[in-house]
Amino acid sequence: MVLRGSSPGREGTLHGRDTMLIHRSGPSLPSGEGPRVTSKQEAVPVNPFSRSLRAGAVAMLLAGAIATPAVAAEPAPPNEQMQALLDQLAGLGGEPIDTLEPSEARTQPSVADAVTALLESRGASTAPEPVGDVEDRTIPGPASDLPVRIYTPDGDGPFPLIVYYHGGGFVIATIDTYDSSARALTNAAEAIVISVEYRKAPEYPFPAAVDDAYAAYLWATDNAAEINGDPERVAVAGESAGGNLATVVSLRARDAGDQPPVHQLLVYPLTSFSLDFPSVETYADAKPLNRAALEWFGGHYLADPSQAADPDVSPLDAPDLSDLPPATIIAAQIDPLLSEGRDYADALRDAGVSVSYRRYDGVTHEFFGTGAVVDEGTEAVTFAGQRLADAFAHLPDTFTAANDGSPPVPSWSLLGLLLLASGAFLLVTLRPLSPRSTRR
């Protein structure tokens, strides 16, 4: 793995969920600046005897320019539901994948298997979430035909499309492993989801997966009408390694001058092959993803370690991230990929790309498709579906979601906030001191 300097100034964690302003366009903001939603507990302490300091604090609160602390040095504990799922996964008897050959690792129990086992232990239904229709087929790929699974929602269409790339570190897992995520997104976004079975390393190292991912995206834009889709409304989405593929597809489309995705949904994306991130240290021993697994995945995906510097491998290190589609980034608190996902959100924002970032506390990597047993999985899918639906409806992509679920805040309201801040400063500094406020 190639080490890269981390950016601790970009790290941010909030009480509950971590949220960040969507910055639509315009000049870059310095790292750590820009409006963001914060909790009351994080307000900067104000000296009650200083009117200037009090006014400055008001301005900072209104502008939202409050720094957030870095990833905690001590690992956060899973919540009760997440812990029950992790216990179930451990009970399935899997071995650490970094001790196995890829062929052996592909037979290990997955989080999806643990969800099924947990539901069975409770006497609950294990039937998959219903959608309008599911079709398995193949499409042309750069080297051979690619298996895809096409999920269609109920309704008449034509529907928007989501080209979805599953996780698995480019080495393990299949469209079957991530069936629950694809079904949930189909219903949440009311869109056709094309789940792509791209080639895996080490049999097919980089750039095979990227080439397959891009070929599938182009196929979707060219053949949308064939599957009752709208070719003008095509988004990309992915989890973990699949999040890497989704944003790299967006970069390739920009550079090639092809139709850009209308949105990119990146769920705890792998954006750098460096291990030099605070969350990699904090969650070095986390489950189901940890530092040893990251090293193992990287060693199999890259035929040459020098490839880690390629933007198609580490998009966080791309020299230019401007003119990319609006992005939604979903993060898990207990995840070695937490830091690089947040850094990527900041890097996109600094490049003028509209970004919405939301972190879910008390859950681990792979929580997104676990809505049947983990509430945060359902919440994250709902949030992602709304973001995608808004993009498909061509709504202004300029809001941030607050921790308490309050309505989106348009980015143009920042000007109003700054004006209010200026007014508050003048009112506090220019009004006469009352006798009660005068120090004796």
Side-chain angles (χ1 to χ4, degrees):
M1 303 288 279
V2 175
L3 300 182
R4 184 188 62 84
S6 62
S7 304
R10 284 179 171 174
E11 207 54 52
T13 58
L14 301 180
H15 301 286
R17 300 190 193 93
D18 187 8
T19 59
M20 187 178 72
L21 175 84
I22 296 161
H23 176 60
R24 182 175 176 81
S25 60
S28 300
L29 298 175
S31 177
E33 294 186 7
R36 72 178 65 227
V37 179
T38 64
S39 65
K40 292 181 180 178
Q41 293 94 324
E42 292 168 316
V44 176
V46 178
N47 183 344
F49 302 106
S50 170
R51 290 181 301 137
S52 298
L53 188 58
R54 187 162 59 245
V58 170
M60 288 179 67
L61 285 168
L62 289 172
I66 298 178
T68 54
V71 170
E74 294 298 321
N79 65 32
E80 184 177 352
Q81 291 180 331
M82 192 75 235
Q83 187 61 60
L85 182 58
L86 293 175
D87 291 343
Q88 187 68 62
L89 179 61
L92 296 179
E95 300 178 54
I97 62 170
D98 58 284
T99 66
L100 304 173
E101 293 297 320
S103 59
E104 298 172 315
R106 291 167 186 153
T107 67
Q108 296 298 295
S110 67
V111 170
D113 294 327
V115 169
T116 299
L118 190 56
L119 290 172
E120 289 176 344
S121 72
R122 296 171 177 175
S125 172
T126 60
E129 180 176 343
V131 297
D133 184 63
V134 179
E135 176 191 6
D136 286 314
R137 61 173 294 176
T138 60
I139 62 174
S144 60
D145 286 348
L146 299 176
V148 298
R149 182 168 295 163
I150 301 175
Y151 303 80
T152 304
D154 286 321
D156 296 328
F159 299 101
L161 284 83
I162 303 169
V163 184
Y164 170 83
Y165 309 106
H166 66 75
F170 309 101
V171 178
I172 63 174
T174 68
I175 57 178
D176 291 332
T177 315
Y178 287 80
D179 179 70
S180 63
S181 292
R183 288 175 177 271
L185 281 176
T186 299
N187 291 329
E190 297 183 356
I192 293 171
V193 171
I194 303 173
S195 186
V196 182
E197 194 64 273
Y198 51 88
R199 288 172 292 169
K200 309 295 190 305
E203 295 87 349
Y204 302 99
F206 171 82
V210 175
D211 293 341
D212 289 354
Y214 194 57
Y217 170 72
L218 293 180
W219 182 90
T221 60
D222 292 340
N223 297 275
E226 176 188 335
I227 56 175
N228 198 22
D230 181 350
E232 299 299 318
R233 295 184 294 164
V234 182
V236 290
E239 295 180 53
S240 194
N244 175 288
L245 294 175
T247 201
V248 168
V249 163
S250 300
L251 281 163
R252 278 202 175 185
R254 181 201 65 183
D255 294 344
D258 289 324
Q259 174 181 323
V262 299
H263 200 82
Q264 46 179 333
L265 169 64
L266 314 177
V267 182
Y268 27 77
L270 174 66
T271 63
S272 171
F273 272 66
S274 168
L275 296 176
D276 190 17
F277 290 99
S279 60
V280 173
E281 180 176 350
T282 298
Y283 296 109
D285 298 318
K287 299 293 182 183
L289 183 66
N290 51 42
R291 182 187 181 104
L294 288 174
E295 292 178 325
W296 186 85
F297 286 132
H300 287 300
Y301 183 51
L302 303 180
D304 183 339
S306 67
Q307 292 175 318
D310 192 315
D312 280 359
V313 173
S314 298
L316 179 58
D317 297 325
D320 180 14
L321 292 173
S322 63
D323 300 319
L324 291 178
T328 296
I329 298 180
I330 289 175
Q333 181 186 29
I334 307 168
D335 187 351
L337 300 186
L338 174 62
S339 295
E340 63 190 79
R342 181 57 188 256
D343 277 5
Y344 194 59
D346 286 343
L348 288 172
R349 181 202 64 183
D350 291 345
V353 176
S354 170
V355 179
S356 180
Y357 175 96
R358 179 170 286 191
R359 192 195 76 191
Y360 291 84
D361 281 1
V363 293
T364 73
H365 198 80
E366 299 289 353
F367 86 96
F368 187 74
T370 66
V373 295
V374 177
D375 291 341
E376 285 80 3
T378 299
E379 294 172 13
V381 166
T382 300
F383 175 63
Q386 185 59 58
R387 292 282 295 142
L388 287 162
D390 288 348
F392 293 141
H394 305 293
L395 297 178
D397 194 60
T398 53
F399 73 89
T400 183
N403 290 353
D404 60 2
S406 58
V409 180
S411 62
W412 47 258
S413 67
L414 173 59
L415 177 59
L417 289 174
L418 292 174
L419 291 174
L420 285 172
S422 300
F425 181 84
L426 290 174
L427 285 173
V428 175
T429 55
L430 297 181
R431 69 178 178 83
L433 285 173
S434 65
R436 187 172 298 176
S437 64
T438 303
R439 298 185 65 183
R440 298 180 185 275

